[in-house]
C-alpha cells in the first residue's frame, strides 16, 4: 500500500476522518514521517496495548492468527476512549506533571509507543488518557549512534545533608552529571559552586559525582538510588533511611522500521532479543545493608564471621538480572579464566581495538572476578560491570529479562576484543582449498584466524569445525574451516502428536475417510504425507495433495515438504486429495459448494450466499476446459456421493462429449471407473450442452467463492494452475447426492477425556551431537550460491568438529522461534559429568595428544516457560571437588547427582589433561586470592 504524506492528509482535511481506512492511512503517514525525521528531544507517547489492539482491529490491521496473511474486515464499532489508567501507579513524583509508570510494563505487551502527532490525532478522535510522554534521546557509543526512548527515567531520592529531608527527582540516565547539578540547584535554590553531590548508595558515600561530562549511567547511578546533597562550607552529615527496591526497567531502542508499514513509532521489541523469555521472577530484590558497601557491594566482612572459603560469593539480582548472574558465575568458575584474571592481565588490555570497549569491559570483569573470589561468602552487586556490558551491547541496558546464552556469547566476544593481542589486524584474503588435503587447509585457516584474533578467549574457548556444502545439480563440493566459541545443539525431541486428516478421492472412486496418524511433533509435511500414504494404502500411481480447509474453502495447500508441523494447530481442519502421480502438470479443478434456493435469481443474494460442505479437487488436461469437460469431471468426482435411489438412467442422461476427461491415459468416467483412451470429440451442434439436461449448475468463481461467472461452451481461460467452479446445491442435488460426507469434517486433534497426553522422552547429549552433525539440506531461505552452476542452490550441508577447545561450551537449544509460534522444550537431556569422550566426533587430534576427554564444571539452568522464568547456575570448585548452587545472592551446596535436570540450558566442560595447570586440577593459588582482600579495590586498573 502506498502511504500518502502526512502533509497531504492535513491539507486535505482538518476534521475527523470519516472512515477507519482514513484513520489508518493518516496515522501511517504521520508515523512514517516521524520515523524518517527523528531527532534528539522528540516526544513519544505511551498508549495502552489493549486499546491499541482494539483500534488496529477497527482500522483493519489485526489478523485472526499469527499465520493469517489476510486482513480482517473492518470492525463495526469504533473503540472507546483511550484508557492508559493501567499503565500508571497511584504514586507521583513531587513537582512532576506526569503520572508515575507502573514498574513492570513491557513494550508490545502493556503499551505501544507512538509519535507526538499520532497521539495528538488519536486524542482528538477518541479523548481519554492520561497523557504519558517520554523523550527521544541520542545514544552514542563511539561510532555507533542510535535513538532511544527513555521510557523509565531514573527516579532518584535526593537527600539534603543540611536537614536530612528527602525528595524524589526524575532524570534521564543518559543525562550528564552537570545536568543533575543544574536540576538540583534549581530545586534547592543553591549555587553549583556551593554544593557537592555524592553517590549515596546504601546510605554510604560511594564517590563524589565530580566528572561533569559523565552520564548517570556511566557513573553507575541506578533506579531508586539515594544521592546526597552536601554543602561545601558546613559539611552537614546525612541521616539514614531504608532503600527502595531496585527494579529499573528498559530503555526502548528506537530505530528504522523493519517493515514497510509501521505505526508504532519504532520496533516492537524491547532491548533487542528474547522479549519472549521476559520474566519478572526476581528472587532477590531486597538486600541486607550488611551485604553491601560503597563499591559494588564489596565488603571485607563475611556476615560478621571469618570465612576462609573462596569462590562462594553470590551476585545480587539488580532486577531481572538472574540471566546475567548465571552466566557470570559460570565464567568466574572457569579455571583458566580464574588463573588469568587473578594475575596481572593489564599488559594484554587492547585500548586501540574499535570493536571492543578499549579494555573497560575486561577491567570490569576482572575486578568483579577478584571480588567474587576474595569476599568469602559475601554477596556482590555487579553494578559497574553491568554498566560496562550495556555500553558494549546496548540491548542489555535496562533491567528486562534476556537470554543467558545470548549474553554469554556477547560477553565472551567483548572480553576477546578487549584482550586481543593483535593491535592491528592484517588483511587476509579468503582462499579456497583447491584440492589440498584437509589437514593442510584447516591449519592454514586456523593460522589466518589467529593472525587477527589472539586472546585468552581464543586460546581456551575457540575450536574449529569443517563445513561441507554439496550442490545437488553439479555436485560441486565446497569446504570451509571456521572457528566456533560454543556448540548450539538441537534437541532431537521424541514427542509425538496425533493428526487427523480426511482423505478425499480425486478420481471419484471412494467416499472420503478420516485417518488419524501419529507423527513426530517437530516433523514436517513430508513425514505427515508418508504416514498417510501408509495408512490409506495409497497405490504407486497415486499421490496426496495436502490442504487446510477454513470457512468451507481451501485456505492453503501444504505443498512444501519441509514445512514444519508446528504450523498446523489442533483446531485446524486438514484434508488430502488422492490424485494421479504427475498431477502437477495438469489443470487443478477446485469445486466449491453453495446453497441454492428460491432467491437464486437475485444477484445480491448470490454475492452474500455462504459456502457449504468441503471443496473437492480433481484434475483435467490443460486443453480440456470446455463446458462439457468441466461438467464431466465434476460428475465423475461426485459419483461416490450418489444416493442409492439416484443410480439410474437420469444420472447418465446428461449429453456430454465422451465419458470424461483424460488424464495422461487415465480416463475418469462418470461411474468412477478408469479406462484407456482420449476424450472423444465431435463437431457441429453436438458440442453444445443442453442446460436443461444438466444435473447441477456450475459457474466460474474465485478462491472465496464470491464471484459467479458463466462457463463458456468451447473453452474457458484460466489464470494460473487452478480453475475454481462453484456448484449450486438445491433440493434436487441434495436428493441425488449425500452431502453429509462433505460436512462437519473432524479437526486435526480434539482432546477427549481418555485422550493420551504426549510425554517428553529423555535424550542424551550424544544424540544431540548426532543431530547437530548430520547432513541436511539448506532451507529455502538459506540458498547457497554454487560457483559451478552460477546459481543459488538448495545444497546439502554437513558439519564436522575438526579442532576442540580446552573449554567446551554446549548450548542446548530449548527455545525455538518462528513466524507461527514460540516454544520451549523441557526435554530431559542426560549429559555426562565425568569422562565425556569426544573422540568419536572430532576429526583432528594432534600427534601424541591424548584422546579428547572432558569433565563438567558448570551448568546454567532455566526454569519456567517463555512467559516467565528464572536462571541459576551450578558450579564446581575445583580445589574442593564440590558442587554449589548459585541462585543470585543465595549460594548452597548441592550433590553431584542433583545437577542433571530438565532445566539444564548451557553446559561447561573442561578438557582433562589440558595445557593449563588449573585445567589439570591443580588448586588455585589461595595465597594469591588472600592477598586480594587487603589490596585496594580501585575503579580503574593501571594499564
Amino acid at each position: 500500500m502506498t502511504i500518502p504524506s502526512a502533509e497531504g492528509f492535513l491539507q486535505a482535511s482538518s476534521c475527523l476522518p470519516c472512515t477507519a481506512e482514513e484513520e489508518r492511512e493518516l496515522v501511517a503517514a504521520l508515523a512514517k514521517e516521524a520515523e524518517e525525521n527523528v531527532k534528539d528531544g522528540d516526544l513519544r507517547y505511551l498508549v495502552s496495548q489493549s486499546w491499541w489492539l482494539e483500534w488496529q482491529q477497527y482500522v483493519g490491521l489485526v489478523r485472526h492468527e499469527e499465520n493469517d496473511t489476510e486482513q480482517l474486515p473492518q470492525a463495526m464499532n469504533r473503540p472507546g476512549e483511550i484508557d492508559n489508567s493501567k499503565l500508571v501507579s497511584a504514586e507521583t513524583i513531587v513537582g512532576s506533571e506526569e503520572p508515575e509508570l507502573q514498574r513492570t510494563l513491557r513494550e508490545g505487551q502493556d503499551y505501544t509507543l507512538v509519535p507526538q502527532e499520532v497521539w495528538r490525532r488519536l486524542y482528538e478522535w477518541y479523548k481519554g488518557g492520561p497523557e504519558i510522554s517520554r523523550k527521544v534521546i541520542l545514544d552514542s557509543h563511539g561510532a555507533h549512534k542510535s535513538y532511544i526512548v527513555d521510557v523509565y527515567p531514573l527516579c532518584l531520592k535526593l537527600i539534603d545533608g543540611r536537614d536530612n529531608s528527602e525528595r524524589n527527582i526524575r532524570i534521564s540516565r543518559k543525562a550528564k552529571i552537570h545536568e543533575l547539578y543544574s536540576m538540583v540547584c534549581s530545586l534547592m535554590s543553591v549555587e553549583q559552586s556551593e554544593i557537592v553531590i555524592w553517590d549515596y548508595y546504601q546510605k554510604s558515600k560511594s564517590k563524589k559525582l565530580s566528572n561533569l561530562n559523565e552520564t548517570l549511567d556511566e557513573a553507575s547511578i541506578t533506579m531508586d538510588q539515594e544521592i546526597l546533597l552536601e554543602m561545601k562550607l558546613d559539611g552537614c552529615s546525612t541521616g539514614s533511611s531504608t532503600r527502595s527496591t531496585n527494579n529499573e526497567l528498559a530503555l526502548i531502542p528506537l530505530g528504522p522500521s523493519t517493515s514497510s508499514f509501521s505505526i508504532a513509532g519504532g520496533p516492537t521489541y524491547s532491548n533487542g532479543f528474547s522479549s519472549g523469555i521476559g520474566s519478572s521472577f526476581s528472587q532477590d530484590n531486597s538486600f541486607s545493608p550488611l551485604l553491601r558497601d560503597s563499591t559494588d557491594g564489596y565488603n571485607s566482612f563475611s556476615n560478621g564471621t571469618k570465612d576462609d572459603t573462596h569462590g562462594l560469593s553470590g551476585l545480587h539480582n539488580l532486577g531481572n538480572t538472574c540471566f546475567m548472574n548465571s552466566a557470570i558465575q559460570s565464567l568466574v568458575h572457569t579455571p583458566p579464566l580464574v588463573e588469568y584474571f587473578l594475575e596481572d592481565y593489564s599488559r594484554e588490555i587492547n585500548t586501540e581495538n574499535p570493536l571492543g570497549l578499549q579494555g573497560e569491559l575486561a577491567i570490569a570483569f576482572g575486578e568483579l572476578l577478584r571480588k567474587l573470589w576474595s569476599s568469602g561468602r559475601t554477596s556482590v552487586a555487579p553494578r559497574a560491570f553491568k554498566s560496562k556490558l550495556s555500553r558494549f551491547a546496548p540491548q542489555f541496558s535496562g533491567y528486562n529479562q534476556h537470554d543467558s546464552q545470548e549474553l554469554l556469547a556477547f560477553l565472551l566476544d567483548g572480553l576477546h576484543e578487549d584482550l586481543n593481542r593483535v593491535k592491528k589486524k592484517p588483511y587476509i584474503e579468503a582462499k579456497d582449498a583447491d584440492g589440498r588435503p584437509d589437514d593442510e587447509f584447516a591449519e592454514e585457516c586456523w593460522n589466518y584466524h589467529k593472525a587477527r584474533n589472539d586472546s585468552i578467549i581464543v586460546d581456551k574457548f575457540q575450536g574449529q569445525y569443517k563445513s561441507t556444502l554439496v550442490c545437488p545439480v553439479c555436485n560441486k563440493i565446497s569446504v570451509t574451516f571456521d572457528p566456533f566459541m560454543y556448540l548450539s545443539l538441537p534437541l532431537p525431541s521424541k514427542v509425538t502428536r496425533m493428526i487427523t486428516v480426511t482423505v478425499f478421492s480425486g478420481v471419484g472412486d471412494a467416499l472420503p475417510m478420516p485417518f488419524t496418524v501419529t507423527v513426530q511433533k517437530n516433523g514436517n509435511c513430508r513425514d505427515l504425507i508418508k504416514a498417510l500414504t501408509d495408512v490409506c494404502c495409497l497405490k504407486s500411481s497415486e499421490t496426496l495433495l495436502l490442504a487446510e480447509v477454513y470457512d468451507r474453502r481451501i485456505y492453503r495447500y501444504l505443498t512444501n515438504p519441509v514445512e514444519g508441523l508446528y504450523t498446523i494447530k489442533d483446531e485446524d481442519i486438514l484434508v488430502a486429495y488422492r490424485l494421479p502421480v504427475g498431477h502437477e502438470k495438469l489443470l487443478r479443478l477446485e469445486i466449491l459448494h453453495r446453497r441454492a434456493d428460491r432467491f437464486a435469481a437475485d444477484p445480491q443474494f448470490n454475492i452474500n450466499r455462504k459456502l457449504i460442505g468441503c471443496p473437492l479437487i480433481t484434475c483435467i488436461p490443460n486443453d480440456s476446459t470446455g463446458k462439457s469437460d468441466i461438467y464431466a469431471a465434476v460428475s465423475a468426482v461426485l459419483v461416490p456421493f450418489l444416493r442409492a435411489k439416484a443410480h439410474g438412467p437420469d444420472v447418465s442422461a446428461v449429453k456430454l462429449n465422451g465419458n470424461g476427461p483424460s488424464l495422461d491415459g487415465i480416463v475418469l468416467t462418470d461411474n468412477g471407473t478408469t479406462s484407456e483412451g482420449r476424450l472423444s470429440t465431435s463437431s457441429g451442434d453436438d458440442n453444445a450442452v443442453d442446460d436443461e439436461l444438466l444435473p447441477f449448475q456450475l459457474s466460474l468463481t474465485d478462491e472465496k467463492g464470491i464471484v459467479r461467472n458463466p462457463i463458456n461452451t468451447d473453452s474457458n481461460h484460466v489464470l494460473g494452475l487452478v480453475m475454481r467452479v462453484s456448484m449450486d446445491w438445491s433440493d434436487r442435488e441434495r436428493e441425488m447426492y449425500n452431502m453429509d460426507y462433505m460436512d462437519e469434517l473432524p479437526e486435526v486433534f480434539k482432546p477427549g477425556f481418555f485422550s493420551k497426553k504426549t510425554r517428553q522422552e529423555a535424550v542424551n547429549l550424544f544424540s544431540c551431537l548426532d543431530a547437530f552433525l548430520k547432513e541436511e539440506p539448506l532451507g529455502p531461505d538459506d540458498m547457497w550460491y554454487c560457483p559451478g552452476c552460477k546459481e543459488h542452490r538448495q545444497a546439502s550441508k554437513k558439519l564436522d568438529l575438526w579442532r576442540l577447545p580446552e573449554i567446551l561450551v554446549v548450548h542446548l537449544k530449548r527455545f525455538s522461534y518462528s513466524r507461527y509460534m514460540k516454544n520451549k522444550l523441557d526435554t530431559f537431556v542426560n549429559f555426562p559429568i565425568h569422562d565425556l569422550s569426544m573422540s568419536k566426533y572430532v576429526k583432528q587430534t594432534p600427534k601424541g595428544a591424548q584422546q579428547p576427554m572432558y569433565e563438567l564444571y558448570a551448568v546454567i539452568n532455566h526454569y519456567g516457560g517463555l512467559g516467565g522464568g528464572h536462571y541459576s547456575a551450578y558450579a564446581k570448585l575445583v580445589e574442593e571437588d564440590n558442587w554449589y548452587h548459585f541462585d543470585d545472592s543465595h549460594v548452597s551446596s548441592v550433590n553431584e547427582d542433583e545437577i542433571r535436570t530438565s532445566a539444564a540450558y548451557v553446559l561447561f566442560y573442561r578438557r582433562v589433561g589440558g595445557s593449563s595447570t588449573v585445567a589439570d586440577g591443580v588448586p588455585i593459588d589461595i595465597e594469591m586470592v588472600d592477598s586480594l582482600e587487603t589490596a585496594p579495590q580501585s575503579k580503574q586498573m593501571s594499564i
Side-chain angles (χ1 to χ4, degrees), residues 544-750:
L544 292 176
L545 176 63
L546 195 63
E548 179 185 343
V549 173
Y550 177 74
D551 200 19
R552 309 291 182 173
R553 59 186 177 87
I554 300 293
Y555 176 71
R556 58 170 177 154
Y557 289 102
L558 287 82
T559 55
N560 183 3
V562 297
E563 181 173 350
L565 296 181
Y566 58 79
T567 65
I568 300 173
K569 300 181 179 180
D570 287 347
E571 60 270 20
D572 292 342
I573 295 177
L574 288 188
V575 295
Y577 300 95
R578 299 173 60 165
L579 299 172
V581 173
H583 67 87
E584 299 86 355
K585 300 178 182 179
L586 304 174
L587 185 63
R588 187 184 305 160
L589 184 61
E590 189 175 301
I591 307 162
L592 304 179
H593 310 281
R594 299 198 306 177
R595 182 182 294 107
D597 51 27
R598 65 180 184 274
F599 298 107
D602 184 357
Q604 184 65 32
F605 180 80
N606 291 334
I607 294 177
N608 296 329
R609 207 179 323 178
K610 292 184 179 180
L611 297 174
I612 58 176
C614 175
L616 300 178
I617 301 290
T618 188
C619 294
I620 59 176
N622 295 300
D623 56 353
S624 299
T625 59
K627 188 171 186 178
S628 60
D629 302 315
I630 296 173
Y631 269 84
V634 175
S635 296
V637 81
L638 284 174
V639 166
F641 302 94
L642 280 170
R643 298 182 185 273
K645 63 180 180 180
H647 285 280
D650 293 340
V651 179
S652 57
V654 183
K655 184 179 181 182
L656 298 174
N657 292 329
N659 291 328
S662 173
L663 302 180
D664 289 337
I666 302 175
V667 179
L668 308 180
T669 65
D670 58 358
N671 61 2
T673 61
T674 60
S675 62
E676 300 295 327
R678 294 294 297 171
L679 182 66
S680 62
T681 60
S682 54
S683 59
D685 294 337
D686 289 340
N687 287 331
V689 177
D690 192 343
D691 289 346
E692 295 181 358
L693 297 178
L694 293 177
F696 39 75
Q697 293 297 320
L698 299 179
S699 56
L700 296 177
T701 187
D702 60 351
E703 60 182 3
K704 294 184 178 181
I706 298 177
V707 176
R708 191 179 185 188
N709 295 321
I711 298 177
N712 298 326
T713 301
D714 296 331
S715 64
N716 295 271
H717 182 67
V718 179
L719 293 176
L721 302 176
V722 181
M723 172 184 283
R724 296 180 177 87
V725 298
S726 64
M727 174 178 171
D728 289 337
W729 285 78
S730 63
D731 293 339
R732 184 181 67 170
E733 283 76 33
R734 289 180 178 274
E735 291 178 0
M736 184 179 300
Y737 299 100
N738 188 350
M739 199 178 186
D740 294 341
Y741 295 100
M742 307 182 209
D743 213 356
E744 302 300 331
L745 301 184
E747 297 177 354
V748 166
F749 179 74
K750 192 169 185 179

Side-chain angles (χ1 to χ4, degrees), residues 409-453:
F410 274 94
L411 177 54
L412 289 174
D413 183 59
L415 291 176
H416 158 66
E417 298 295 353
D418 270 4
L419 298 171
N420 198 346
R421 304 178 186 111
V422 180
K423 305 303 179 184
K424 293 184 178 180
K425 296 185 178 183
Y427 171 76
I428 299 175
E429 185 176 355
K431 297 181 180 180
D432 197 5
D434 292 330
R436 287 179 290 169
D438 284 347
D439 292 356
E440 178 184 338
F441 185 48
E443 190 66 23
E444 179 183 280
C445 292
W446 183 253
N447 291 334
Y448 286 164
H449 174 66
K450 289 278 288 185
R452 294 172 54 85
N453 303 277

Side-chain angles (χ1 to χ4, degrees), residues 116-131:
Q116 184 176 13
E117 277 300 314
V118 172
W119 166 262
R120 189 171 69 84
R121 285 288 168 170
L122 291 176
Y123 184 78
E124 286 180 359
W125 300 333
Y126 297 98
K127 305 302 180 185
E131 180 178 296

Side-chain angles (χ1 to χ4, degrees), residues 67-273:
N67 61 342
D68 194 352
T69 58
E70 298 184 6
Q71 293 181 353
L72 282 175
Q74 178 178 325
M76 298 300 296
N77 299 320
R78 300 176 77 240
E81 290 187 350
I82 301 173
D83 184 9
N84 286 340
S85 59
K86 293 183 180 179
L87 304 183
V88 299
S89 63
E91 300 177 359
T92 58
I93 301 298
V94 178
S96 173
E97 298 178 356
E98 296 179 351
E100 180 73 357
L101 283 182
Q102 296 279 359
R103 289 291 182 88
T104 57
L105 302 181
R106 292 185 183 178
E107 186 186 17
Q109 296 183 17
D110 303 295
Y111 67 89
T112 291
L113 290 169
V114 299
Q116 184 176 13
E117 277 300 314
V118 172
W119 166 262
R120 189 171 69 84
R121 285 288 168 170
L122 291 176
Y123 184 78
E124 286 180 359
W125 300 333
Y126 297 98
K127 305 302 180 185
E131 180 178 296
I132 310 170
S133 63
R134 291 293 185 265
K135 283 187 178 182
V136 175
I137 56 179
L138 178 64
D139 186 26
S140 178
H141 296 294
H144 303 285
K145 295 183 179 180
S146 61
Y147 289 98
I148 59 177
V149 180
D150 202 354
V151 176
Y152 283 92
L154 292 176
C155 178
L156 304 178
K157 182 176 293 185
L158 174 63
I159 300 178
D160 191 341
R162 296 171 295 182
D163 56 6
N164 290 337
S165 61
E166 300 178 357
R167 66 185 304 171
N168 293 328
I169 61 174
R170 180 191 287 155
I171 187 171
S172 170
R173 64 177 52 81
K174 296 299 180 181
K176 300 292 182 67
I177 297 297
H178 70 80
E179 296 178 65
L180 175 64
Y181 271 90
S182 299
M183 176 181 288
V184 171
C185 289
S186 176
L187 289 175
M188 309 302 290
S189 300
V190 294
E191 296 293 331
Q192 183 169 336
S193 59
E194 301 174 352
I195 64 170
V196 174
I197 299 178
W198 291 84
D199 178 347
Y200 201 51
Y201 189 73
Q202 280 292 4
K203 291 292 185 290
S204 177
K205 291 183 181 179
S206 173
K207 67 176 180 180
K208 186 185 300 183
L209 300 180
S210 56
N211 186 353
L212 299 182
N213 290 323
E214 188 178 34
T215 67
L216 296 176
D217 200 18
E218 294 169 343
S220 300
I221 303 298
T222 58
M223 181 72 82
D224 294 331
Q225 185 181 325
E226 299 94 343
I227 56 175
L228 173 66
L229 168 66
E230 193 173 66
M231 305 302 295
K232 288 183 178 179
L233 298 179
D234 55 24
C236 294
S237 60
T238 61
S240 61
S241 64
T242 58
R243 180 180 179 274
S244 301
T245 299
N246 189 344
N247 190 20
E248 179 187 3
L249 294 189
L251 290 177
I252 307 302
L254 180 65
S257 174
T258 57
S259 64
S260 59
F261 182 68
S262 173
I263 56 177
T268 58
Y269 58 84
S270 175
N271 281 323
F273 177 74

